[in-house]
Amino acid sequence: MRIRPFDALNKMKSTGEASKASAASGTSSTASMSAPRDAAQIMGVPENELTPNVQRALLGLMGEVDQLRKDTERLRSRVRELESLADHDVLLPVLNRRAFVREVSRALALAERHEAPSALVYFDLNGFKDINDNYGHAAGDAALHHVAATLTANLRETDSVGRLGGDEFGVVLTLTTVSQAEYKASDLADAIENTAFMHDGRELHINAAWGVHPLQPGVNVDAAMAQADAAMYARKQELKTAVTG
């Protein structure tokens, strides 16, 4: 049983007053001694040692323990905060590459254990360099924020979004087949392209190429990342050929 310092102090005071009242009235010693025994039992200190000095020492110790408990909780909260910062991109509210790779690994482990495949989508922005060159790096940052916000807003809580490089993003679609992932990736790319972002009073647009690779048993993280990147690059080349042809 845990008691607060003030509860203990009040208990001890009331105990002393009850003892005095019993002695003055000549009542049974059983009633007057029951409360001190309870207090001594709760505090874990023999009754005859509960002198004023011991009481003060115990209350001081309990106060210190309570403060240590509060300090410990503050430290735990700070650790959780630092862990969150370590997992997120320095510029965007999405996972950094290290944390995203960890999510890919988790999806692969899920597929291995439960035969529940997921899918990896790799995005690369088209025209990002032109935005930086024509409007400045602040416009490029605005474009990255636009992409991160669009991806996050259109995914489930069980999915993961990460920034893999300068203008590259990854998405883990949990419990999703390749065909479903391709359909979703196309929708996400359309949302990125069809929604303008603002910079310096201008409405700007950017689009993205994408590639999909299944996260299924027998696939490792590096191979999955490389294959999704290759699928994205192949699609990008197809689009370039279609435009120039």
Side-chain angles (χ1 to χ4, degrees), residues 6 31 40 67 87 99 125 139 145 151 168 175 198 217 240:
F6 290 111
Q67 185 61 47
D87 283 346
L125 304 185
H145 276 283
L151 293 175
E168 298 174 338
L175 303 179
M198 298 298 298
K240 284 183 179 180

Side-chain angles (χ1 to χ4, degrees), residues 3 5-23 31-40 42 50 55 59:
I3 62 173
F6 290 111
D7 293 336
L9 181 59
N10 291 334
K11 184 76 172 178
M12 293 171 184
K13 286 181 178 178
S14 63
T15 296
E17 292 171 357
S19 298
K20 290 177 182 178
S22 296
S32 63
M33 294 300 292
S34 60
R37 285 197 188 95
D38 291 342
I42 292 170
L50 285 176
Q55 292 178 21
L59 292 176

Side-chain angles (χ1 to χ4, degrees), residues 55-207:
Q55 292 178 21
R56 284 193 293 270
L58 286 173
L59 292 176
L61 179 60
M62 292 174 67
E64 291 178 7
V65 169
D66 189 55
Q67 185 61 47
L68 286 172
R69 188 178 294 113
K70 293 177 181 177
D71 291 343
T72 299
E73 182 54 37
R74 279 195 293 268
L75 288 173
R76 287 174 177 169
S77 177
R78 181 57 176 164
V79 167
R80 289 192 294 267
E81 180 184 348
L82 291 174
E83 287 176 345
S84 177
L85 290 173
D87 283 346
H88 282 75
D89 185 76
V90 295
L91 176 65
L92 308 175
V94 298
L95 298 176
N96 56 29
R97 186 183 183 93
R98 179 186 62 83
F100 183 79
V101 168
R102 186 182 64 223
E103 294 304 312
V104 175
S105 180
R106 286 177 178 173
L108 287 170
L110 180 66
E112 290 282 355
R113 288 195 302 267
H114 304 289
E115 297 184 357
S118 298
L120 170 63
V121 186
Y122 206 108
F123 287 95
D124 182 80
L125 304 185
N126 297 319
F128 180 70
K129 183 176 183 302
D130 292 337
I131 289 177
N132 276 326
D133 291 345
N134 294 330
Y135 302 104
H137 289 286
D141 289 347
L144 295 175
H145 276 283
H146 160 65
V147 173
T150 301
L151 293 175
T152 302
N154 289 279
L155 292 172
R156 303 163 297 179
E157 290 186 2
T158 54
D159 301 327
S160 302
V161 183
R163 185 183 179 196
L164 307 180
D167 61 345
E168 298 174 338
F169 291 81
V171 171
V172 171
L173 298 172
T174 57
L175 303 179
T176 305
T177 65
V178 171
S179 59
Q180 291 171 333
E182 289 178 343
Y183 184 84
K184 184 63 177 180
S186 179
D187 277 353
L188 291 171
D190 287 344
I192 291 171
E193 182 176 5
N194 296 331
T195 305
F197 65 95
M198 298 298 298
H199 173 70
D200 199 21
R202 294 187 179 92
E203 283 193 357
L204 301 176
H205 289 265
I206 195 166
N207 60 74

